[in-house]
Amino acid sequence: MTTPAHLHFDMVVIGFGKGGKTLAGAYAKTGKNVALIEQSTGMYGGTCINIGCVPTKALVHRADEFRASGERTLEEANAAYESAVVFRDKLTGMMRAKNREILLSNETAKLIDGHARFISDTEVEVTAGEDTLRVTADYFIVNTGAVSVIPPIEGVRESERVLTSTELQKLTPRPKRLGIIGGGPIGVEFAGIFSSYGTEVTILDGAPALFGRYDEDVAQVAREIIADQDITAHTGVRVQSFKDGADSVTVTYLDSEGATQQLEVDYVMVATGRKPATEGLGLENTSIETNDRGAIVVDEHLRSTVPNIFALGDVNGGPQFTYISLDDYRVVLSQLVGDGSRSTKDRKAVASTIYMNPPLSSVGLTEREAIEAGHKVKVASKPVAAVAAMPRAKTMENPRGIMKFVIDAQTDQILGAQLLVIESMEVINLVALAMRHGITASQLRDEIYTHPSITEGLNEVLAVAAPVN
């Protein structure tokens, strides 16, 4: 590190994630001196492009293509997996370089490689090898993201075959047998990737059933799709221990009946959630408050308990989505150079997607939640294969799934939607937009959509709305 022992900036961003890098660039464009500190050159651009959304969705895409190609030999499966890994690495490498280039294209922006640690409310210490740098700033932006939660299970730390999602996606050759602890979005996504290449996948989940946060009719279809992809799922289980063998790992667990069972696999992925990455930040040297999960406590404008320090993205304990981090940037920029009116309270109808095949996208309330909230509800629901006016799914040879809308029977406002259908990650954005801007179910039903498309399914599905309470 050739920088002086001490530097001062108008803004210092710690972490190269979506919200922070976008804020750094925008603030630098106003002529302010900005430093972005990142401890890993392999994380330029943040989690999304390096170990999260982009690389995993690249693997999902290649896996879906391989599965659709029909029966293939073991050698062909291995070769296809290796090719997918090469494709992913090339893509993420290009995006890392581009993110660095975009940041440094701003004359007043500086990239500092090293680990940042607060030593007070107004100063951080950056270390890189033998070098140390002291940095002060008018504003600090904490943008360090989240890390995998490692559950306190016997043998988990000692095992060389228990991996996080970050470690598993770097694993080659692919395992022949894979255990996944956790049946949430990450677990389901990786199960689909590896099962597509012929890996024997077993999910162990503590919840009573997979997809428990969705309505049961939607969840049941999703579970059937998982089973059809040769993914075995055991729910209501409690993992007791991991023990490595010569070339395998044995998972001991209690099944839903309380009986002891064992699962022997090549590797295990632990997908039991992610927690805010605040360890090692030196927050104990500041007046910054954290909650019981380690997240930095912020107000509706993402300001921490120290007025000049903001927290963006996963580290502030909000929804762990890249697009939420991007909106965090808008909120903070509004505080620093705008009219200050934007806040996290503005967020309505934020959608999400599980990238199974087909993807499961949702927004708003489930039928159960809407009724519990006191709404008079009508439901519009149809299996994808039964939507006659939507041939897109059939032309794509993937007519599995279900489309479901929950509607307020009195106002005709859409309260929520669960779309288990190809390209649902695109359609759900239209539904969310309608919900945010008060467009009724009838208006969405009677719109003109391109053909053939999944969107035109709204014409037919929303026409079958029926009261349920």
Side-chain angles (χ1 to χ4, degrees):
M1 187 181 293
T2 59
T3 49
H6 178 271
L7 289 174
H8 179 82
F9 294 91
D10 296 310
M11 175 187 287
V12 167
V13 178
I14 303 173
F16 214 141
K18 183 69 171 180
K21 69 185 180 187
T22 311
L23 181 62
Y27 205 55
K29 282 181 171 61
T30 69
K32 300 292 187 179
N33 290 308
V34 177
L36 194 157
I37 304 170
E38 173 53 54
Q39 64 182 354
S40 171
T41 57
M43 288 296 287
Y44 289 168
T47 294
C48 178
I49 71 165
N50 291 293
I51 60 173
C53 320
V54 172
T56 58
K57 302 317 174 281
L59 293 177
V60 167
H61 166 67
R62 285 293 186 93
D64 289 347
E65 283 196 332
F66 184 77
R67 183 185 291 274
S69 67
E71 293 293 329
R72 306 287 285 276
T73 66
L74 177 62
E75 290 74 17
E76 288 173 323
N78 289 336
Y81 175 73
E82 298 289 340
S83 175
V85 169
V86 171
F87 165 65
R88 176 206 62 201
D89 290 346
K90 181 179 179 181
L91 178 62
T92 55
M94 291 171 56
M95 295 186 73
R96 272 196 303 275
K98 188 63 177 177
N99 271 263
R100 183 179 187 277
E101 176 188 330
I102 290 172
L103 175 71
L104 296 181
S105 67
N106 299 288
E107 292 184 0
T108 58
K110 182 180 183 63
L111 176 61
I112 300 176
D113 294 313
H115 174 74
R117 178 176 177 272
F118 282 96
I119 55 178
S120 72
D121 286 346
T122 59
E123 190 171 11
V124 298
E125 181 181 77
V126 185
T127 55
E130 299 291 323
D131 297 323
T132 301
L133 173 69
R134 293 289 181 95
V135 177
T136 55
D138 295 340
Y139 294 104
F140 286 99
I141 311 297
V142 184
N143 183 54
T144 49
V147 294
S148 297
V149 172
I150 307 299
I153 299 172
E154 180 184 337
V156 69
R157 298 289 182 181
E158 295 78 11
S159 176
E160 296 180 356
R161 292 179 172 271
V162 177
L163 311 174
T164 64
S165 60
T166 300
E167 295 163 333
L168 178 62
Q169 64 180 284
K170 302 293 184 181
L171 182 67
T172 55
R174 69 171 179 87
K176 295 179 181 178
R177 301 169 301 171
L178 175 65
I180 296 178
I181 311 301
I186 294 175
V188 167
E189 182 176 299
F190 275 82
I193 291 170
F194 283 91
S195 70
S196 294
Y197 292 109
T199 295
E200 183 181 302
V201 178
T202 304
I203 296 174
L204 300 178
D205 191 52
L210 294 184
F211 306 104
R213 75 179 186 88
Y214 300 89
D215 283 325
E216 180 57 25
D217 50 353
V218 175
Q220 182 56 35
V221 176
R223 290 192 288 266
E224 290 169 1
I225 289 171
I226 289 290
D228 288 344
Q229 294 174 349
D230 299 321
I231 298 168
T232 301
H234 299 296
T235 57
V237 308
R238 183 177 176 185
V239 177
Q240 301 287 290
S241 66
F242 303 103
K243 184 175 179 59
D244 284 2
D247 56 3
S248 66
V249 56
T250 298
V251 186
T252 300
Y253 66 95
L254 300 180
D255 65 19
S256 58
E257 302 297 323
T260 299
Q261 306 288 348
Q262 290 191 324
L263 172 70
E264 184 179 5
V265 290
D266 301 332
Y267 289 91
V268 169
M269 181 184 79
V270 175
T272 50
R274 292 172 66 81
K275 62 181 180 180
T278 51
E279 187 175 344
L281 270 178
L283 299 186
E284 67 276 8
N285 301 321
T286 72
S287 305
I288 296 173
E289 292 182 9
T290 58
N291 64 18
D292 56 0
R293 297 195 68 248
I296 293 176
V297 175
V298 294
D299 63 16
E300 65 183 275
H301 300 114
L302 303 175
R303 196 183 299 268
S304 76
T305 47
V306 178
N308 68 316
I309 301 177
F310 294 81
L312 274 66
D314 297 352
V315 76
N316 66 30
Q320 295 181 353
F321 301 125
T322 296
Y323 42 94
I324 291 295
S325 182
L326 179 62
D327 197 57
D328 282 355
Y329 134 76
R330 300 185 187 107
V331 171
V332 175
L333 191 67
S334 172
Q335 290 295 302
L336 300 184
V337 301
D339 62 7
S341 62
R342 190 156 190 146
S343 82
T344 57
K345 290 184 178 179
D346 300 330
R347 294 172 185 161
K348 299 176 182 177
V350 176
S352 63
T353 298
I354 297 178
Y355 282 80
M356 54 188 290
N357 185 15
L360 172 55
S361 301
S362 63
V363 64
L365 302 178
T366 63
E367 177 185 343
R368 177 180 64 252
E369 290 168 339
I371 292 172
E372 289 174 353
H375 292 278
K376 292 293 184 181
V377 169
K378 57 182 179 179
V379 167
S381 180
K382 236 182 183 183
V384 170
V387 185
M390 188 185 70
R392 173 68 172 169
K394 298 179 180 68
T395 63
M396 297 294 288
E397 300 182 276
N398 196 350
R400 297 172 298 175
I402 184 173
M403 301 175 72
K404 179 175 182 176
F405 292 83
V406 181
I407 303 160
D408 188 294
Q410 297 173 320
T411 66
D412 199 35
Q413 293 294 320
I414 300 170
L415 300 174
Q418 298 161 70
L419 307 180
L420 179 55
V421 59
I422 62 168
E423 301 171 358
S424 68
M425 76 290 285
E426 303 290 351
V427 181
I428 203 69
N429 290 323
L430 174 65
V431 178
L433 185 67
M435 292 172 64
R436 284 193 290 270
H437 294 279
I439 296 172
T440 66
S442 297
Q443 289 172 319
L444 205 60
R445 176 197 65 203
D446 295 336
E447 269 300 320
I448 301 171
Y449 302 112
T450 56
H451 172 81
S453 67
I454 297 301
T455 313
E456 67 179 338
L458 305 184
N459 295 143
E460 182 173 328
V461 175
L462 287 171
V464 297
V468 297
N469 66 341

